[in-house]
Amino acid sequence: MKRENYDVVVIGSGMGGLSAAALLAAGGYKTLVVERLPRVGGRYSTIEHKGFKITTGAIEVEMGGAVERAFNAIGAKLDVRPVPPIRYRIDKKDHELPLKGGLRALVSQACHDESEAERVMGALKRGLTWQEPSDSISLREWLLQYTQNERVLKTFWALVSPTHFVNDDELPAGKFFEYLKAPKGQGIGIAPQGNLALMESLAKAIQDKGGQVWTRCRAQEIVVDGGMARGAIVQRGDDVIEVVAKAVVSNTGPQKTVALAGSENFDQGYLKQLRETLRPAPFMAMHIASDRPLVDCSSLIFVLGRRLSVMNCPTLLCPEHAPKGKHLLMAGGTPLSSLPPYDFKKDKELMIQDLRDNIPGFDEHAEILVASYFRGECPGYHSWPGYDLPQKTSIENLYNVGDGVKPPGWIGLGACAKSAEIAVEDIKLRIKPG
Ligand SMILES: Cc1cc2nc3c(=O)[nH]c(=O)nc-3n(C[C@H](O)[C@H](O)[C@H](O)COP(=O)(O)OP(=O)(O)OC[C@H]3O[C@@H](n4cnc5c(N)ncnc54)[C@H](O)[C@@H]3O)c2cc1C
């Protein structure tokens, strides 16, 4: 077997993996990223389909936060076009949410009158400044103490569904407040040439700093010896290579990390935590082609649907994502239950009904290009927000990064990059480069 030596091997090139590699390479660590697919980016990448750029997961990325810090660290540019402020569709009318004071604006729009709005806002403020509500009840149960107004309840569902990938009656109330309190960036953006091009620019910057990014290269095993991670066995073409490293960063999700390293090498408490805590969050997404924009703005539109909670027309901002004269609409939503069994057929039907209700002439102008149910090995998130594992595993020098180890309150790509920051900070304390 061939042998190669690195300071750190990163398994997987999703946002968590490439962010970790960028921070490590910038810090002088000899870093190797191995990615089993032919392209980098994981669930933030691009596939070409009928001339459209179809994302493999995320479309918008947070600007001015942990993702941009990873890009900046290695001299890459987070080249995105800013998306205008979020809109909320309540009673068929769109309301723009200001960047500051958005929650109050939302509550005021949804409530029947000022006294109801004051009651709900008062409770929210108490939860933010005095004590977070208990996790023993769901966000919906918590809200029901202050309003029975279905429109208000649905408004909060429409905030939680596309950000947390669970429903309001599933998210523990305290976790919602953790999210409200967590640091936020400065708006969101879309990569004009597609997510793949953006992630390739990050991979290139890593390589320019002396790192390596190998695609079509699967990690078969994480090597553990004497309770410590020592590297990985990887398959590259016909070669099986032993990568010897001082630390291993896995971006494959906590479950797969255990399978790669062998469950016999982990502490029983860690395995119990994994079994009892981790809950993959499913998410439904549709890519819809049309010959005219199906919505009138390039903002994210949060929708109070039965399943549909978010719509976005990226081609209004980035026409590069579609053939000339064509448009793309992205629609997303959570299934009825975030725990199996799922009923994809019914969820999909209801989502299409919601699209018909929200887009005049939908059947006439829309062609569903791809309808995906992200679940299992490729979920919305590897774990519901608030049900994450720590970045450190019980095996010394073996770390997880990505959306199964999100820091409390963090969501999406920002959470993946933040988990990488946390892991790399720890590596820097323990291991010297070279
Ligand atoms: C439909 C949808 C819409 C979303 N929208 C948004 C959004 O708009 N904004 C946002 O911020 N977030 C969004 N998200 C969430 C975001 O996409 C994910 O949280 C994020 O992309 C996950 O990144 P990750 O670091 O966990 O790595 P992943 O993307 O999971 O990447 C892991 C990589 O590891 C590789 N790998 C696995 N096993 C091996 C192995 N043995 N050897 C080598 N490589 C391996 C995989 O091929 C993959 O490339 C969305 C998600 C979905 C599904």
Side-chain angles (χ1 to χ4, degrees), residues 336-354:
L336 178 64
S337 165
S338 301
L339 292 172
Y342 310 119
D343 187 346
F344 183 39
K345 196 162 166 261
K346 176 135 190 244
D347 288 329
K348 187 178 162 190
E349 269 167 25
L350 287 173
M351 191 139 135
I352 293 172
Q353 281 302 336
D354 285 337

Side-chain angles (χ1 to χ4, degrees), residues 11-17 34-37 41-44 57-60 165 217-219 251-252 256 260 283 285 374 379-382 401-403 412-414 416:
I11 304 173
S13 69
M15 184 56 84
V34 296
E35 167 57 56
R36 73 190 158 115
L37 296 176
R43 282 168 287 152
Y44 184 58
I59 175 119
E60 285 89 10
F165 298 167
C217 179
R218 177 188 288 273
N251 187 210
T252 66
K256 221 182 200 180
L260 284 170
F283 195 64
F374 288 86
Y381 292 143
H382 275 298
V401 293
D403 62 15
L413 296 161
C416 299

Side-chain angles (χ1 to χ4, degrees), residues 74-233:
I74 194 97
K77 186 165 180 265
L78 187 71
D79 183 16
V80 293
R81 292 193 190 136
V83 177
I86 289 170
R87 292 193 186 185
Y88 243 93
R89 185 162 292 183
I90 300 177
D91 292 341
K92 297 199 178 327
K93 217 174 137 221
D94 287 353
H95 304 271
E96 195 175 290
L97 279 195
L99 269 183
K100 274 215 156 84
L103 199 58
R104 169 167 281 281
L106 197 63
V107 169
S108 301
Q109 296 294 348
C111 285
H112 285 311
D113 51 46
E114 245 339 278
S115 78
E116 185 186 30
E118 281 310 315
R119 203 166 56 243
V120 175
M121 269 320 289
L124 282 165
K125 254 195 213 151
R126 240 184 343 270
L128 285 169
T129 57
W130 171 240
Q131 193 177 30
E132 280 172 15
S134 162
D135 276 338
S136 63
I137 56 171
S138 69
L139 172 62
R140 185 178 171 88
E141 286 169 317
W142 178 82
L143 271 168
L144 278 168
Q145 301 174 100
Y146 306 103
T147 181
Q148 308 285 317
N149 181 346
E150 201 46 53
R151 193 171 57 179
V152 179
L153 298 167
K154 203 73 205 186
T155 300
F156 278 84
W157 171 81
L159 172 58
V160 159
S161 160
T163 51
H164 290 65
F165 298 167
V166 292
N167 297 297
D168 58 340
D169 57 352
E170 297 170 326
L171 185 69
K175 302 293 179 228
F176 178 68
F177 283 80
E178 261 178 14
Y179 157 70
L180 291 180
K181 284 186 187 173
K184 308 278 181 300
Q186 291 149 11
I188 50 176
I190 299 183
Q193 304 308 324
N195 305 335
L196 175 59
L198 188 64
M199 293 301 267
E200 277 176 342
S201 74
L202 186 57
K204 181 172 180 307
I206 293 165
Q207 284 162 322
D208 289 347
K209 267 270 187 295
Q212 295 276 325
V213 181
W214 295 350
T215 52
R216 297 178 199 270
C217 179
R218 177 188 288 273
Q220 296 177 334
E221 187 189 327
I222 293 170
V223 179
V224 181
D225 188 22
M228 287 177 83
R230 309 277 182 186
I233 307 293

Side-chain angles (χ1 to χ4, degrees), residues 306-419:
R306 281 155 287 197
R307 296 290 184 277
L308 176 72
S309 57
V310 66
M311 299 189 293
N312 170 242
C313 181
T315 42
L316 281 173
L317 197 62
C318 304
E320 299 92 330
H321 288 206
K324 212 167 184 312
K326 296 276 185 189
H327 281 276
L328 195 57
L329 183 86
M330 289 262 314
T334 35
L336 178 64
S337 165
S338 301
L339 292 172
Y342 310 119
D343 187 346
F344 183 39
K345 196 162 166 261
K346 176 135 190 244
D347 288 329
K348 187 178 162 190
E349 269 167 25
L350 287 173
M351 191 139 135
I352 293 172
Q353 281 302 336
D354 285 337
L355 285 163
R356 287 190 181 119
D357 292 351
N358 279 280
I359 297 169
F362 180 79
D363 287 321
E364 229 176 293
H365 295 281
E367 180 200 349
I368 298 176
L369 289 175
V370 187
S372 320
Y373 209 148
F374 288 86
R375 65 188 193 282
E377 272 208 9
C378 186
Y381 292 143
H382 275 298
S383 203
W384 298 14
Y387 289 80
D388 294 272
L389 260 67
Q391 292 78 30
K392 269 186 180 177
T393 69
S394 64
I395 295 177
E396 218 174 312
N397 297 341
L398 173 59
Y399 301 81
N400 276 305
V401 293
D403 62 15
V405 294
K406 300 178 292 302
W410 289 70
I411 55 156
L413 296 161
C416 299
K418 183 68 191 171
S419 71

